[in-house]
Amino acid sequence: MTQTTDATAAATAPEPIPSRRIHRAWFVAAVTFVTIIGAAAFRSLPGLLIDPLHREFGWSHGTIGAAVSINLALYGLTAPFAAALMDRFGIRRIVAGALTVIAIGSGLTVWMTAAWQLLLCWGVLVGLGSGSMALAFAATVTNRWFTRRRGLVTGILTAASASGQLIFLPLLSWMVEAHDWRPAAVTVALAALAVVPFVWLLLRDHPADVGLAPYGSEEFVPKPAPVTGAARRTVTVLSKAARTGPFWLLAGTFAICGASTNGLVQTHFVPAAHDHGMPVTAAASLLAVIGVFDVVGTVASGWFTDRWEPRRLLAVYYALRGISLLFLPMLLAPSVRPPMLFFIVFYGLDWVATVPPTVALCREHYGDDSAIVFGWVLASHQVGAALVAFLGGVVRDVFGTYDMIWYASGALCAAAALMALVIRRRPAAPVGRLAVVG
């Protein structure tokens, strides 16, 4: 009787309800998103300060552009070492320290009186801090916490930089116009500090820290032991990757990406528009709108990358960007007209849409070392940005206009589109540590 009752109860017992809890990986991605927004705050400021610093201190556009150039170069060159340091000391420690360095560098600019102080604070300190939280940070988080939806997550985290621009640009431009550039610098420092507690309390280095498998994986992945010799490993990975063709093509295309975005538009769009009589607040608002559509374009690019061939996506993105830049000099005017709005939308959708397919190609060719390889590719991005940030200021000093630099960047984007198509696909094979096809 008892056995019959037990059998009946077992037969009628409801089946366990599958867990609908949100995977911890999405919370880590959210904290990473907020962190990158905080780091993006300072990068919203350079284009707004070129004219105020020129008026107050008499520094040339080339001198101020040199500080931006140092910042952008260090942003890129620090990234691969930061990715290796995250493997050694953990993500939390590196990111919290980087945010603090950004806050110090931004805050100290309030007391500067000489150009070398601008180069040190704005260039070196903020460059090192922001470089430690560059897109290699996003790649590291994505590789550790996700096995599915990697393209989408990469797109979302990449869009965080644009979101920071969207949030801070209108506020900072109003501060610069209504008060002075110093309150804007202090605001950036406070924003960076405000993110530190979130990083320390909520960010985790690896899914194993909380007893989970990566999102999309059915197997638990043990946390790897800390990797010593971060600098040596970073250089070794570069040495191996540099012997392969895809690395140089990715680095070359990404250098042009940096030259045509951070170095050119983010740094020089506001002063160039102001040269044509447009108010600074209006130009800064247009740059912020670019950030709105950048979020849409980058997330969509991540979705596309999960479904289509990354190198063809890159070719399309660079070709469209080059076309838009060739038309920009004809659109600058004292007021905002419909053709300019069309450019802002079109260009914004393409701003950093190149990142998800570039990360995917690094992962395809370089396996477990892809985050460090992407760090070096990102370094080329920032070197390209640094070069154009400096040359743009020089061109403006010499010719009194930015037109030449817009046309040159459009032509470079056409070259990048061709380079992307040359990247060879990696044949299907087990992913190993730096499994490369040259």
Side-chain angles (χ1 to χ4, degrees):
M1 181 68 179
T2 304
Q3 291 180 348
T4 303
T5 303
D6 291 345
T8 303
T12 58
E15 295 183 1
I17 299 174
S19 173
R20 295 183 180 275
R21 294 177 59 188
I22 300 175
H23 195 283
R24 181 65 177 268
W26 293 107
F27 291 102
V28 172
V31 174
T32 304
F33 186 91
V34 173
T35 303
I36 296 175
I37 285 177
F42 192 88
R43 296 178 58 212
S44 301
L45 199 54
L48 303 178
L49 299 190
I50 291 178
D51 287 336
L53 292 177
H54 175 68
R55 288 194 302 267
E56 179 172 338
F57 297 105
W59 299 333
S60 69
H61 289 79
T63 298
I64 302 170
V68 180
S69 179
I70 293 172
N71 177 293
L72 293 172
L74 287 177
Y75 176 89
L77 294 172
T78 304
F81 293 95
L85 287 171
M86 288 176 188
D87 288 341
R88 175 68 178 87
F89 298 106
I91 297 174
R92 272 199 310 175
R93 294 179 181 177
I94 299 303
V95 173
L99 284 165
T100 304
V101 171
I102 288 176
I104 292 171
S106 179
L108 288 177
T109 58
V110 173
W111 292 283
M112 66 183 177
T113 57
W116 68 267
Q117 295 166 347
L118 175 69
L119 299 177
L120 174 63
C121 295
W122 191 348
V124 176
L125 291 179
V126 176
L128 290 173
S130 57
S132 298
M133 296 181 304
L135 294 175
F137 165 43
T140 300
V141 170
T142 304
N143 288 347
R144 291 187 183 185
W145 282 88
F146 293 86
T147 57
R148 291 177 56 236
R149 307 295 186 189
R150 280 177 167 175
L152 177 63
V153 174
T154 301
I156 293 172
L157 295 182
T158 302
S161 180
S163 299
Q165 175 177 292
L166 167 65
I167 292 169
F168 287 100
L169 257 178
L171 173 64
L172 295 177
S173 63
W174 173 80
M175 285 185 174
V176 171
E177 283 287 287
H179 301 285
D180 188 21
W181 61 269
R182 289 176 178 83
V186 172
T187 299
V188 168
L190 294 177
L193 284 178
V195 181
V196 174
F198 290 95
V199 170
W200 195 254
L201 295 175
L202 301 176
L203 194 62
R204 292 295 180 267
D205 295 329
H206 196 277
D209 290 341
V210 289
L212 294 174
Y215 177 81
S217 174
E218 297 181 357
E219 296 182 3
F220 180 81
V221 179
K223 183 177 180 179
V227 181
T228 58
R232 182 173 64 254
R233 181 188 172 204
T234 303
V235 175
T236 300
V237 169
L238 172 63
S239 176
K240 292 179 180 179
R243 292 196 289 268
T244 67
F247 173 79
W248 291 108
L249 290 168
L250 289 169
T253 55
F254 225 42
I256 294 172
C257 179
S260 56
T261 53
N262 302 67
L264 181 63
V265 175
Q266 188 169 34
T267 303
H268 295 294
F269 177 80
V270 172
H274 190 55
D275 284 347
H276 287 76
M278 185 180 295
V280 171
T281 50
S285 297
L286 288 176
L287 205 54
V289 173
I290 286 178
V292 175
F293 289 96
D294 178 26
V295 173
V296 177
T298 307
V299 173
S301 178
W303 189 84
F304 293 151
T305 302
D306 286 332
R307 289 159 175 78
W308 289 305
E309 192 176 344
R311 65 192 186 102
R312 296 188 185 278
L313 289 175
L314 284 180
V316 172
Y317 295 157
Y318 285 120
L320 294 177
R321 183 185 300 174
I323 292 170
S324 66
L325 288 173
L326 291 175
F327 281 97
L328 180 58
M330 295 178 280
L331 306 179
L332 293 169
S335 60
V336 180
R337 300 172 181 173
M340 172 59 77
L341 292 176
F342 179 79
F343 166 83
I344 293 298
V345 173
F346 189 85
Y347 181 86
L349 290 171
D350 198 8
W351 176 276
V352 284
T354 55
V355 174
T358 300
V359 171
L361 287 168
C362 286
R363 189 182 301 121
E364 176 183 324
H365 286 276
Y366 303 106
D368 290 344
D369 286 324
S370 61
I372 296 177
V373 173
F374 178 70
W376 284 113
V377 172
L378 178 63
S380 71
H381 180 283
Q382 296 308 114
V383 169
L387 185 61
V388 171
F390 172 68
L391 290 178
V394 172
V395 167
R396 171 61 176 78
D397 287 334
V398 173
F399 298 101
T401 177
Y402 285 100
D403 287 0
M404 183 182 297
I405 207 75
W406 303 123
Y407 295 134
S409 295
L412 284 174
C413 288
L418 295 175
M419 292 168 64
L421 291 175
V422 175
I423 299 173
R424 289 185 291 173
R425 299 191 64 181
R426 180 177 181 269
V431 176
R433 195 171 188 78
L434 198 61
V436 296
V437 174

